[in-house]
């Protein structure tokens, strides 16, 4: 079964560092990009960025660039999302998702076909 | 970045109704449009990709259409399990792959 398993809920104080994880199984982890998506309480989905575990190439949304770091350890099929200093505004659910790729004629289609269950992050003093 | 706008933001309907949700892109995105369903406390679920292709395992009452800037998601006959929030997402060119703000489908 193809799945992404995310790490458990985190409670942090402002200014602390944090790293959450997303472990893939049931497929070739190094061949698919992994995206991270934020959902603040009661709000919609926000696309944060994407990483290719094969070579750790990353692409960040401008809204999140400089505040987060994405990384991956292909030896253990795990992607990471980390903060050097969390803020109260980082309180949210974070999802990882596999980016699927389909080529039809000259067109390259991308979509998120497998999702982790999410990691809840709470930042409070 | 490309902006995605969904309408309506919320919608009340009854079991058996035909429902249509609209998504508009700020620039043409050809058919690079996906639809997801999310239930409270759960991860999103892919319904439609490439504007009109049904993801494996998704009931055929869901369908997508459109190209360029205007897209629709249609549920032909609402079932109780369809009450959820629906998001469109563009995946044109390079990231970011922005989402619409969501449409909450509620029971009338």
């Amino acid at each position: 079964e193809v799945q992404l398993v995310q790490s458990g809920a985190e409670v942090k104080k402002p200014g602390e560092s944090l790293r959450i994880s997303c472990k893939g199984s049931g497929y070739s982890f190094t061949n698919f990009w992994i995206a991270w998506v934020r959902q603040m309480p009661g709000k919609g989905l926000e696309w944060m960025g994407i990483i290719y575990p094969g070579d750790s190439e990353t692409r960040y949304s401008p809204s999140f660039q400089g505040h987060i770091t994405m990384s991956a350890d292909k030896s253990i099929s795990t992607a990471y999302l980390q903060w050097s200093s969390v803020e109260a505004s980082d309180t949210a659910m974070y999802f990882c998702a596999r980016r699927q790729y389909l080529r039809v004629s000259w067109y390259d289609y991308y979509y998120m076909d497998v999702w982790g269950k999410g990691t809840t992050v709470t930042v409070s003093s | 970045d490309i902006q995605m706008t969904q309408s309506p933001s919320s919608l009340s309907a009854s079991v058996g109704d035909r429902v249509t949700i609209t998504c508009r892109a700020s620039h043409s995105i050809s058919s690079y449009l996906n639809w997801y369903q999310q239930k409270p406390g759960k991860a999103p679920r892919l319904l439609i990709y490439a504007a009109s292709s049904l993801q494996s395992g998704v009931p055929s009452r869901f369908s997508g259409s459109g190209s360029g800037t205007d897209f629709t998601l249609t549920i032909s006959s609402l079932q109780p399990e369809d009450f959820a929030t629906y998001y469109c997402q563009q995946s044109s060119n390079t990231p970011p792959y922005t989402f619409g703000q969501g449409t909450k489908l509620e029971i009338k």
Side-chain angles (χ1 to χ4, degrees):
Chain A
E1 179 191 5
V2 175
Q3 59 179 347
L4 295 171
V5 178
Q6 296 189 234
S7 50
E10 299 275 2
V11 179
K12 292 291 185 180
K13 290 181 167 48
E16 293 184 333
S17 63
L18 172 64
R19 189 177 77 168
I20 63 176
S21 67
C22 170
K23 182 176 176 61
S25 62
Y27 73 100
S28 179
F29 187 73
T30 54
N31 288 351
F32 292 84
W33 292 73
I34 293 289
W36 288 95
V37 175
R38 182 175 80 174
Q39 188 166 40
M40 300 177 77
K43 302 298 184 183
L45 304 174
E46 299 174 89
W47 198 90
M48 302 175 72
I50 198 164
I51 184 167
Y52 187 67
D55 61 7
S56 291
E57 179 181 352
T58 55
R59 298 175 188 170
Y60 294 94
S61 167
S63 300
F64 292 91
Q65 177 94 45
H67 187 57
I68 58 165
T69 302
M70 296 182 294
S71 61
D73 185 340
K74 61 185 179 182
S75 70
I76 55 172
S77 300
T78 301
Y80 301 99
L81 178 64
Q82 64 186 67
W83 296 256
S84 59
S85 177
V86 294
E87 304 169 0
S89 58
D90 294 317
T91 294
M93 175 76 85
Y94 293 87
F95 295 100
C96 63
R98 184 179 78 166
R99 190 188 80 168
Q100 182 61 266
Y101 163 68
L102 175 68
R103 168 159 280 188
V104 178
S105 299
W106 299 278
Y107 299 96
D108 294 332
Y109 295 99
Y110 303 108
Y111 47 96
M112 313 306 155
D113 67 338
V114 179
W115 292 70
K117 293 182 185 296
T119 296
T120 300
V121 172
T122 303
V123 182
S124 174
S125 55
Chain B
D1 295 350
I2 297 173
Q3 307 303 315
M4 307 301 293
T5 304
Q6 291 181 230
S7 61
S9 294
S10 63
L11 174 61
S12 295
S14 301
V15 173
D17 284 354
R18 179 183 181 90
V19 167
T20 297
I21 298 169
T22 297
C23 179
R24 175 164 289 174
S26 60
H27 302 87
S28 175
I29 57 170
S30 184
S31 297
Y32 300 116
L33 193 283
N34 309 313
W35 289 98
Y36 301 87
Q37 175 195 65
Q38 188 183 32
K39 296 182 178 179
K42 300 294 187 181
R45 171 197 181 197
L46 175 68
L47 299 176
I48 301 285
Y49 62 93
S52 60
S53 295
L54 193 68
Q55 171 68 352
S56 176
V58 175
S60 58
R61 62 181 180 273
F62 291 92
S63 64
S65 65
S67 67
T69 59
D70 295 312
F71 302 85
T72 59
L73 173 70
T74 299
I75 310 172
S76 60
S77 178
L78 271 175
Q79 297 302 300
E81 61 268 29
D82 299 337
F83 291 95
T85 300
Y86 293 84
Y87 295 92
C88 63
Q89 180 201 33
Q90 66 84 15
S91 57
S92 172
N93 296 319
T94 56
Y97 300 145
T98 45
F99 291 94
Q101 81 278 17
T103 295
K104 187 174 184 179
L105 179 52
E106 299 175 303
I107 301 173
K108 184 183 288 185

